[in-house]
Amino acid sequence: MRAVVLDENGAPELCDLPDPGGPGVRVRVLGCGLCGSDLEKLGRGGVLGHEVAGVLEDGSRATVMHRVPCGECARCRAGHESTCDAFAEVRIAPGGFAEELRATHVVPLPDAFGELDGVWVEPLACILRAAESVPRGRVLVVGCGAIGQLWVQVLRARGDEVVAVDPRADRLAQARVGDDGASVGAAVVTAHGGVDDALRRLEPGGTLLVFAASDGAVPVALDAVYRNELRVLGSRSATPASFAAAIDLLPELELPPVVTLPLERFAEGVELYRRGEALKVVLTP
Ligand SMILES: [Zn+2]
Ligand SMILES: [Zn+2]
C-alpha cells in the first residue's frame, strides 16, 4: 500500500507499507486535504493527513476523526476538549495520504456527498466549534484562504454581518466579502498578518478568536486588551459534536476550489500551498 509518511528526519517520502494493522477499521482513501498543520510537521515529525474522504469495506462513505477527546475529564467538561490528555493520541495510521488507513473513529457521510467533499468535514468542524465562542453581530475575518472563506459563509449563515481583510484582492473577491474599515464586535484570525489591526478595530468588550497557529512571535497590543476589556481566546481542532454539525451544514456551503494531485506529487502540492498558488490541495491515491 502506497503512503506518504515522514521519515526519521521529518521528510515526507512515498513508501510502500504493509497494512498498518492495529485497532480500528480499514478505510480506503479517496482523497485527503493538505492542512496548514501538516506543513508544521514537516522537518519535525508526526502523522500526516487528517482531512479524509474515504470508503469503508461495505462501500459506504466515511470520514475519520484523527483525535478524540475523552469527553469526561475536567478540560472536556469545560469545553477545552482539544487540550484533553486523550486528545494527544492519534487515532489513524499511517495517516491520510495513503491508499488505505486504519481508524478507530469513523464518521459516516451521506451518499449525496461528492466524492471528495469529505475532506472538508474536519476543517468545517473546527470552524463550527470555534464559532460558538464568537459573539454574533459584526465580525471581521482576518485572512481569506480556504478556511477564511468557509468562516465567512458560516458566519453569514448564522446571520452575522461579515467583513474581511486579506492582502490578496483575488481571495477577497472569491469570498465575496469586503471591508468598510469600521469597528467590529469580534474578529477571527485565520492568518497572522493584520492581527494588531484587528485588535484595534474591536469595540470595547470585543472578542479576538485565534484560529491559526503562529510560527513566530506575533506582537499583540495588550494595551488595547486592557483598556477596552477585550477577550482574546484560542480554538483548535474539532469534537464529535462539531463533526456532526459540519456534516449537516456542508451541503449548504460553496466549497472553495481544490487542486487535486496524486500522492506522487505531494511535494508539489506543498509548494503550491506554501506559495499561495493553491487555496486547497487534495492528494488522491
Ligand atoms: Zn486540518
Ligand atoms: Zn477529556
Side-chain angles (χ1 to χ4, degrees), residues 35-38 50-51 122-123 126 280:
C35 171
S37 68
D38 291 317
H50 57 270
E51 302 172 355
E122 193 269 349
C126 297
K280 184 74 175 175

Side-chain angles (χ1 to χ4, degrees), residues 225-251:
V225 175
Y226 171 65
R227 290 189 192 284
N228 291 328
E229 298 196 350
L230 305 178
R231 296 196 314 145
V232 178
L233 45 101
S235 182
R236 172 182 159 256
S237 211
T239 59
S242 68
F243 262 77
I247 290 166
D248 284 346
L249 183 65
L250 196 92

Side-chain angles (χ1 to χ4, degrees), residues 47-71:
V47 173
L48 284 182
H50 57 270
E51 302 172 355
V52 175
V55 180
L56 303 182
E57 280 178 310
D58 65 4
S60 62
R61 296 278 180 83
T63 188
V64 302
M65 279 191 281
H66 70 302
R67 296 176 188 275
V68 184
C70 81

Side-chain angles (χ1 to χ4, degrees), residues 183-210:
S183 64
V184 292
V188 176
V189 175
T190 74
H192 283 284
V195 174
D196 227 30
D197 284 343
L199 259 184
R200 290 180 210 286
R201 280 178 63 176
L202 285 174
E203 286 157 7
T207 298
L208 184 88
L209 181 97
V210 181

Side-chain angles (χ1 to χ4, degrees), residues 69-73 76 84-85:
C70 81
E72 287 162 10
C73 70
C76 281
C84 164
D85 288 339

Side-chain angles (χ1 to χ4, degrees), residues 7-134:
D7 67 13
E8 64 277 10
N9 299 315
E13 58 173 1
L14 182 63
C15 304
D16 210 345
L17 298 176
D19 179 317
V25 299
R26 288 161 81 119
V27 180
R28 182 166 62 83
V29 178
L30 297 171
C32 180
L34 182 68
C35 171
S37 68
D38 291 317
L39 270 64
E40 287 169 36
K41 291 176 187 138
L42 302 181
R44 294 180 190 170
V47 173
L48 284 182
H50 57 270
E51 302 172 355
V52 175
V55 180
L56 303 182
E57 280 178 310
D58 65 4
S60 62
R61 296 278 180 83
T63 188
V64 302
M65 279 191 281
H66 70 302
R67 296 176 188 275
V68 184
C70 81
E72 287 162 10
C73 70
R75 287 184 226 157
C76 281
R77 288 200 311 271
H80 296 296
E81 292 93 336
S82 70
T83 67
C84 164
D85 288 339
F87 205 80
E89 189 186 333
V90 177
R91 310 292 185 133
I92 59 173
F97 302 123
E99 288 178 282
E100 266 186 23
L101 58 82
R102 281 200 182 253
T104 58
H105 291 72
V106 295
V107 184
L109 296 177
D111 293 335
F113 267 40
E115 178 160 299
L116 295 178
D117 287 358
V119 305
W120 293 104
V121 172
E122 193 269 349
L124 182 59
C126 297
I127 291 171
L128 293 179
R129 172 166 175 260
E132 290 175 18
S133 303
V134 179

